Amino acid sequence: SGNGTRTLLDSRGQKVELLGIAGHIIYEVKHDAKWVENDTKLAWVSTCDEPSWADECLRKFRASPRAKQEPLVPLKQLADAEHIYDARSKQVHFKRLQQDTGIPFD
């Protein structure tokens, strides 16, 4: 939609879609007491050759609460950590994410 909760258009006019209710789920993880009380963390992690485009999408896509009176929030603002860059493997991302957050990946 035009407010960035479901679709955006890329520079060629092609649709880029946020899948299903992903925006609602992401919003809930950062705002609902059951997740907040457990100090749940959210991170954006991807190995890609267009990190600036991924960053733009994270700034433009908006997480939408189920209650319509709540404000829409850019996805980028909801992450506790972000690792989006071209890497040799996902293992590089996860090692750096572990270092940044101090959360063990056992």
Side-chain angles (χ1 to χ4, degrees):
S1 67
N3 62 9
T5 59
R6 294 292 307 270
T7 62
L8 299 174
L9 295 178
D10 70 10
S11 61
R12 295 176 298 187
Q14 298 292 312
K15 269 189 186 181
V16 178
E17 296 186 73
L18 189 61
L19 296 177
I21 61 168
H24 294 306
I25 294 168
I26 293 165
Y27 189 92
E28 181 178 315
V29 166
K30 295 308 293 181
H31 292 91
D32 189 278
K34 69 182 172 191
W35 299 103
V36 174
E37 290 169 0
N38 289 309
D39 198 27
T40 303
K41 302 294 183 199
L42 180 68
W44 306 127
V45 179
S46 180
T47 185
C48 67
D49 58 355
E50 292 288 340
S52 62
W53 184 63
D55 183 71
E56 182 178 349
C57 288
L58 288 172
R59 285 184 285 107
K60 290 183 175 180
F61 271 123
R62 309 240 179 260
S64 56
R66 293 195 186 270
K68 299 300 181 198
Q69 69 271 18
E70 297 289 328
L72 299 175
V73 181
L75 295 183
K76 184 158 180 84
Q77 291 180 11
L78 297 173
D80 298 292
E82 185 176 311
H83 289 271
I84 300 175
Y85 44 82
D86 192 5
R88 295 182 309 274
S89 73
K90 289 281 186 193
Q91 297 304 318
V92 172
H93 287 297
F94 289 120
K95 183 176 180 179
R96 289 181 183 166
L97 184 61
Q98 184 177 15
Q99 290 169 344
D100 286 354
T101 64
I103 299 171
F105 297 167
D106 298 330

